[in-house]
Amino acid sequence: MLIHAAPAVGRAIDLPKPYLLFVGDARSAGFAKTAFGLKDWAAESCVGECASSPEAVSTGLPRMSPREAQARGAKSIVIGVAAVGGAIALGWLPVLIEALEAGLDIVSGMHSRLEDVPALEAAVERTGRQFFDVRRPPPDIPVASGRRRSGKRLLTVGTDCALGKKYTALSLSRAFAARRIDVQFRATGQTGIMIAGGGIPIDAVIGDFAAGAAEILSPDADDAHWDIIEGQGSLFHPAYAGVSLALLHGSQPDVIVLCHEPARTHVIGYPDYALPTVEAAIGLNLTLGARTNSAIRCAGVSVNTSGMAESEAAAVIGELERTLRLPVADPIRGGEPLQRLVDACLDRPASPSGREAR
Amino acid sequence: MLIHAAPAVGRAIDLPKPYLLFVGDARSAGFAKTAFGLKDWAAESCVGECASSPEAVSTGLPRMSPREAQARGAKSIVIGVAAVGGAIALGWLPVLIEALEAGLDIVSGMHSRLEDVPALEAAVERTGRQFFDVRRPPPDIPVASGRRRSGKRLLTVGTDCALGKKYTALSLSRAFAARRIDVQFRATGQTGIMIAGGGIPIDAVIGDFAAGAAEILSPDADDAHWDIIEGQGSLFHPAYAGVSLALLHGSQPDVIVLCHEPARTHVIGYPDYALPTVEAAIGLNLTLGARTNSAIRCAGVSVNTSGMAESEAAAVIGELERTLRLPVADPIRGGEPLQRLVDACLDRPASPSGREAR
């Protein structure tokens, strides 16, 4: 380890927008989740879609060739389709090469690397375009400095992986923006990075630099500006807690929102690891987060009630609110509970200690 | 992040021993710290030393040519000298190439990569030898499984970086061995890896795999076997806490020994970050460590009293022992306090909860 903090020199990934969404030969939305996610959350950054097969599923955006998209302002084509094993399908190559020749860069979050496909690599060299791999961290990430930054920050944290931290951060960002608050969604995973048009895949960063990555992801900002940062993993996860702690320390959040799935009893994929209680998860995040921001507080809880009937979800939410005395909302259901959660995020701390949930 | 744990396929670095120590042209021990560290801690693994200048400092081991060393059983030459900027000095090349030609591999912890030196790269290809870079993690490190492993584990943890976690782990390993206990020192940093002849540079591992690296570093073992694992960083460090947490979770220690430097008031290089108290550091390590090993306990404290007079050190140690009601020792001073710390490490927990320091 380096003992002295290096100056912050690195920068987050910055993708060329707007996008042309590539749905490949996907026969259903399930195989083109990324394209559908972008259409849902970043429609203003998408000029249209294109496919490698006329029978491919449609996101509902206008279908066009790469050249048409370029004429309408597109800067890159995003691979929004998944193939078996995370590989790049041969049938996609003609469209991808056509896109490079039309002047578009290629954005990918696939497991396979674009530069390992000789035909694509040759086309990139011929056209002078670029590949953007949202799985790969940017270079020159510094060691964290621990310095407090200006502006306000919210981090979504969780009792586990894969229960709605990205969705919650996006929903809160949209709700903040609807109130005309200066807000930016800060992405830490590949889908989020495509939606945001930038970010850092925090779990792919070398351990010594992970907190530093979180620092450069949400730089100094105006006092009234909010960064809403996509959380990753959980402090209770036997494999990923280190990433979650680095993200918590480097993000220096003023506010956390805990994400939870009431129906889940164990860490996903780890049957020997019971999920922590909501109270324990809030407490540990506040205890550890206070190391880099002593004013950290928990605004409330985002619950994932998918699969529950409306009445069951309402009962779960009501029960949690009574126990925790904090706002609880399912952002997918939205409505008044979500607005109360947003109110709590924006409230100044009620007491000088700044911790509502302790 | 991957949701399901992959099977453990990776293996820790395994260096070819015994070594020939290379002191290069170092004029003083300060420029050959690695060579002197290896002579102090791994003398049984060193057949001798060689130099690129007759005026170079000596570790006290017999000086010999690479060919002589090979004849005496050496398997690799270890670069035990540091050059300005971490680079490989031109003057070293003839000896290093001679070593490759004599059938030795080269072990390096330098910042520069050996394969970036064309003359060395060519000699490696010609001779069929190998480079071993102890700064680079091994391939195929799995995601942590969280599965409890057999055997016993001790992890040195700290209130900060650079205050004796490696030295404490080595001292305890030596003290355990002196009592004829089956013990292995498990290294997580470059110097430690050279001393141990293997290990994983944990802070260079990608975040998602850091706890998995700690798991494969100390695999299943006999019930009576102890792994003593070199700690890294601190849970209170604004840049490195994530690495420390991953190491704590993946190591699943039965016992921790907290390392502390009483004279230090702030995190080294971070004047805005006060050091935690010893009590707080023990408490947080036990709280977080209990996630993967509910029987975790703190055996005692290792203090770094370098620079203190004998009487001052004794006073500091006595005061800490009274406050904590735990054994406290400076392993450099050794003696009876160190033996009491070893006793406490080996004791079975006094109560079924297994936690002495709570």
Side-chain angles (χ1 to χ4, degrees):
Chain A
M1 291 182 177
L2 300 166
I3 297 303
H4 292 281
V9 288
R11 299 183 57 184
I13 293 171
D14 188 10
L15 300 175
K17 292 202 290 187
Y19 305 138
L20 171 65
L21 301 181
F22 180 59
V23 295
D25 49 358
R27 294 299 172 98
S28 70
F31 288 101
K33 271 190 195 169
T34 300
F36 279 81
L38 286 169
K39 188 267 237 163
D40 286 347
W41 288 105
E44 73 289 356
S45 302
C46 304
V47 303
E49 67 172 31
C50 74
S52 60
S53 156
E55 284 137 43
V57 68
S58 174
T59 60
L61 292 172
R63 191 160 288 191
M64 61 186 69
S65 72
R67 207 159 293 279
E68 285 175 85
Q70 195 272 340
R72 295 188 195 194
K75 297 278 185 289
S76 63
I77 183 168
V78 177
I79 301 182
V81 51
V84 178
I88 292 144
L90 269 181
W92 303 349
L93 294 185
V95 176
L96 295 177
I97 291 168
E98 190 185 330
L100 291 168
E101 285 169 347
L104 303 182
D105 294 324
I106 304 184
V107 175
S108 165
M110 308 202 74
H111 196 78
S112 300
R113 295 186 170 199
L114 297 171
E115 55 265 50
D116 293 341
V117 180
L120 284 181
E121 178 66 15
V124 149
E125 289 197 8
R126 191 169 67 241
T127 58
R129 303 315 315 165
Q130 279 186 273
F131 295 139
F132 287 83
D133 181 349
V134 297
R135 283 178 180 258
R136 218 177 311 170
D140 303 325
I141 296 174
V143 169
S145 72
R147 181 183 65 80
R148 276 298 300 278
R149 304 189 296 288
S150 54
K152 297 201 171 45
R153 285 168 192 82
L154 184 156
L155 174 68
T156 56
V157 299
T159 50
D160 195 4
C161 296
L163 42 61
K165 288 185 288 288
K166 178 179 76 237
Y167 193 94
T168 300
L170 285 164
S171 300
L172 290 173
S173 300
R174 202 168 258 188
F176 275 46
R179 295 190 184 194
R180 310 225 170 264
I181 290 161
D182 176 25
V183 61
Q184 192 153 0
F185 167 69
R186 298 292 189 180
T188 60
Q190 49 182 318
T191 307
I193 292 170
M194 289 181 178
I195 291 170
I200 300 180
I202 193 87
D203 53 7
V205 175
I206 286 172
D208 255 8
F209 302 97
E215 289 190 350
I216 63 172
L217 179 65
S218 69
D220 282 305
D222 285 348
D223 282 349
H225 173 88
W226 282 85
D227 271 350
I228 298 190
I229 304 156
E230 176 192 5
Q232 291 289 341
S234 143
L235 295 173
F236 298 82
H237 197 287
Y240 304 134
V243 172
S244 303
L245 179 54
L247 182 57
L248 178 62
H249 274 174
S251 296
Q252 306 177 349
D254 304 285
V255 169
I256 58 169
V257 170
L258 181 79
C259 302
H260 181 61
E261 185 176 321
R264 202 178 291 185
T265 55
H266 287 77
V267 175
I268 194 165
Y270 293 78
D272 292 340
Y273 285 85
L275 233 55
T277 64
V278 168
E279 290 88 338
I282 292 173
L284 189 57
N285 274 282
L286 293 179
T287 298
L288 297 180
R291 182 64 173 160
T292 58
N293 183 351
S294 60
I296 189 173
R297 64 190 175 90
C298 177
V301 175
S302 168
V303 287
N304 181 336
T305 60
S306 57
M308 291 186 192
E310 185 74 35
S311 60
E312 193 189 352
V316 163
I317 289 174
E319 175 61 27
L320 263 177
E321 283 199 322
R322 274 187 296 279
T323 317
L324 302 170
R325 297 206 238 163
L326 284 173
V328 178
D330 183 337
I332 293 195
R333 298 181 191 264
E336 195 260 338
L338 182 60
Q339 293 308 318
R340 279 189 289 120
L341 179 56
V342 173
D343 287 337
C345 292
L346 293 170
D347 267 349
R348 306 290 155 138
S351 70
S353 86
R355 289 174 206 170
E356 297 181 3
R358 279 194 168 169
Chain B
M1 291 182 177
L2 300 165
I3 297 304
H4 292 282
V9 288
R11 299 184 58 185
I13 294 171
D14 188 12
L15 300 176
K17 294 202 287 186
Y19 305 138
L20 171 64
L21 302 182
F22 180 60
V23 295
D25 49 359
R27 295 300 174 95
S28 70
F31 287 101
K33 271 189 195 170
T34 299
F36 278 81
L38 286 169
K39 188 266 239 164
D40 287 348
W41 288 105
E44 74 288 356
S45 302
C46 303
V47 302
E49 66 172 32
C50 74
S52 59
S53 156
E55 284 137 42
V57 70
S58 174
T59 61
L61 293 172
R63 191 160 288 190
M64 60 186 68
S65 71
R67 206 158 293 279
E68 285 175 87
Q70 196 272 339
R72 295 190 194 192
K75 296 279 184 289
S76 63
I77 182 168
V78 177
I79 301 183
V81 51
V84 179
I88 291 143
L90 269 181
W92 303 348
L93 294 185
V95 177
L96 295 177
I97 290 168
E98 190 185 329
L100 291 168
E101 284 168 349
L104 304 182
D105 294 323
I106 305 183
V107 175
S108 164
M110 309 204 71
H111 195 78
S112 300
R113 295 187 168 199
L114 296 169
E115 56 265 50
D116 292 341
V117 180
L120 285 180
E121 178 66 16
V124 150
E125 290 198 8
R126 190 169 67 240
T127 58
R129 304 315 315 165
Q130 278 186 273
F131 295 139
F132 288 84
D133 181 350
V134 296
R135 283 179 180 257
R136 219 177 308 170
D140 304 325
I141 296 174
V143 169
S145 71
R147 182 183 65 79
R148 275 299 297 280
R149 305 189 294 288
S150 55
K152 296 201 172 44
R153 285 166 193 84
L154 184 157
L155 174 68
T156 56
V157 299
T159 50
D160 195 5
C161 295
L163 41 63
K165 288 185 289 284
K166 178 179 76 237
Y167 193 94
T168 300
L170 286 165
S171 300
L172 290 172
S173 301
R174 203 169 259 187
F176 275 45
R179 295 191 183 192
R180 309 221 172 268
I181 291 162
D182 176 23
V183 62
Q184 191 153 2
F185 166 68
R186 297 291 189 180
T188 59
Q190 50 182 315
T191 307
I193 292 169
M194 289 181 179
I195 291 170
I200 300 180
I202 192 88
D203 54 7
V205 174
I206 285 172
D208 256 7
F209 303 97
E215 289 190 350
I216 62 172
L217 179 64
S218 68
D220 281 306
D222 285 349
D223 281 348
H225 173 88
W226 283 84
D227 271 348
I228 299 191
I229 303 156
E230 176 192 6
Q232 292 290 340
S234 142
L235 294 173
F236 297 84
H237 197 289
Y240 304 134
V243 172
S244 303
L245 179 55
L247 181 57
L248 178 62
H249 274 174
S251 296
Q252 305 177 349
D254 303 285
V255 169
I256 57 169
V257 170
L258 181 79
C259 302
H260 180 60
E261 185 177 321
R264 200 178 291 185
T265 55
H266 288 77
V267 175
I268 195 165
Y270 292 77
D272 293 341
Y273 285 85
L275 234 56
T277 64
V278 168
E279 291 89 338
I282 291 173
L284 188 58
N285 274 283
L286 292 178
T287 298
L288 297 180
R291 181 65 172 158
T292 58
N293 183 349
S294 61
I296 189 173
R297 64 190 175 92
C298 177
V301 175
S302 167
V303 287
N304 181 336
T305 60
S306 58
M308 291 187 191
E310 186 74 34
S311 59
E312 193 189 351
V316 161
I317 288 173
E319 174 61 27
L320 262 177
E321 284 198 322
R322 275 187 295 280
T323 317
L324 301 171
R325 296 203 238 166
L326 285 172
V328 178
D330 183 337
I332 293 196
R333 298 181 192 265
E336 194 261 336
L338 182 61
Q339 293 309 318
R340 279 189 289 122
L341 179 56
V342 173
D343 288 337
C345 293
L346 293 170
D347 266 347
R348 306 290 156 140
S351 70
S353 86
R355 291 176 202 169
E356 296 180 4
R358 279 191 168 173

